[in-house]
Amino acid sequence: MPSPQPNGALEYGLFALRVLLAVALYAFLAALLRALLRERPAEIPSHAPTAWLMPTGDSMPVNGHCYAIRSGAWIGRDPQCAICVNDESVGECHACITWDEEAQAWYIEDDLSESGTFVNGQRISRAPLSDGDVIQIGQYKLTFLLHPIQSPSISPPVLSAVRRP
């Protein structure tokens, strides 16, 4: 007659399975929480004034265009971003510029990037933008303008989608 398995080995196996399931559950919840925090849907404003982003100095993302922004824009390395920059220090979806209807102002928000987003040399997590502010993301500098550039040769692409790439 075969002897039954020792009770201690069975209990140890069940304990190890419980620990494994708990670790898997915590990993899943952490990934879900991170996704929820990063996937904030941007509201499409109804009355946002057009603003412009113009490359400053030697930094020229995507053909050196001046960009017209109507409702907001993502800036990052992802090709789906409204302004795509080729710099390894820039996150895929690094920062978002949006119109805050309640405050009646444009804001820039860093999307938890490692290298940071700077406005006029100050690192920000979220900040209002004023005419002439210089935004730095990685090596790129863009000047935020509330009035169009008076030049017949400039026809800026219009950025009207705020959805996350």
Side-chain angles (χ1 to χ4, degrees), residues 35-100:
L36 289 174
L37 290 175
R38 292 183 61 96
E39 293 295 331
R40 298 177 300 274
E43 295 179 18
I44 306 245
S46 55
H47 301 87
T50 301
W52 287 264
L53 285 177
M54 182 177 70
T56 303
D58 294 332
S59 61
M60 296 289 172
V62 189
N63 303 326
H65 286 267
C66 177
Y67 300 93
I69 303 172
R70 295 235 169 98
S71 62
W74 278 96
I75 304 170
R77 257 188 6 253
D78 189 314
Q80 297 299 316
C81 285
I83 301 173
C84 180
V85 293
N86 186 15
D87 181 346
E88 287 300 315
S89 69
V90 174
E92 287 190 23
C93 296
H94 193 98
C96 187
I97 296 176
T98 56
W99 172 254
D100 185 321

Side-chain angles (χ1 to χ4, degrees), residues 8 12 26 29 32 53 79-80 82 96 102 114 120 126 132 136 138 148-149:
Y12 177 76
Y26 280 115
L29 291 176
L32 180 64
L53 285 177
Q80 297 299 316
C96 187
E102 188 175 313
E114 290 181 22
N120 300 324
R126 184 173 193 263
Q136 182 171 353
I149 298 169

Side-chain angles (χ1 to χ4, degrees), residues 24-35:
L25 178 62
Y26 280 115
F28 171 75
L29 291 176
L32 180 64
L33 183 59
R34 181 172 165 83

Side-chain angles (χ1 to χ4, degrees), residues 6 10 17 27 66 90 100 125 160:
L10 180 62
L17 183 62
C66 177
V90 174
D100 185 321
S125 57
S160 60

